[in-house]
């Protein structure tokens, strides 16, 4: 059970970083400087992290390693900039073994 939680913690954090970089760095550069390379790289990276986070969250929920409310927060938080960091924070509060 601890493995799922640790993976969820790192996936939520990584997805949050990727989404912020995509939304606040790559997309503005694409439209203001006409340089789409950042979006071409970060888009698929964020997509893979998001899908991994979703699959791991659902797997942890099915195994009973994660409470349903926290699973919902992780899934909704992954859709919003800074939402993943709130979910990550709540995950660390709920499971003290994830503290750094």
């Amino acid at each position: 059970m601890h493995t799922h939680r640790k993976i969820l913690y790192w996936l939520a954090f990584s997805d949050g970083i990727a989404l912020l970089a995509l939304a606040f760095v790559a997309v503005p550069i694409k439209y203001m400087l006409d340089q789409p390379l950042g979006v071409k790289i970060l888009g698929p990276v964020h997509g893979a992290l998001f899908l991994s986070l979703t699959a791991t969250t659902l797997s942890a929920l099915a195994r009973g390693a994660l409470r349903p409310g926290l699973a919902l927060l992780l899934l909704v938080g992954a859709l919003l900039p800074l939402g993943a960091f709130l979910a990550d924070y709540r995950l660390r509060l709920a499971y003290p073994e994830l503290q750094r």
Side-chain angles (χ1 to χ4, degrees), residues 11-75:
L11 281 172
F13 185 79
S14 301
D15 181 59
I17 295 290
L19 180 57
L20 285 177
L22 182 63
F24 295 113
V25 177
V27 171
I29 289 173
K30 175 182 178 179
Y31 289 107
M32 287 193 289
L33 302 176
D34 198 28
Q35 297 292 325
L37 182 62
V39 173
K40 286 181 181 180
I41 294 171
L42 283 174
V45 168
H46 166 64
L49 287 169
F50 176 76
L51 290 176
S52 298
L53 177 63
T54 302
T56 305
T57 300
L58 294 176
S59 175
L61 183 62
R63 292 174 183 254
L66 192 61
R67 294 188 299 240
L70 195 53
L72 182 63
L73 180 63
L74 277 167
L75 294 174

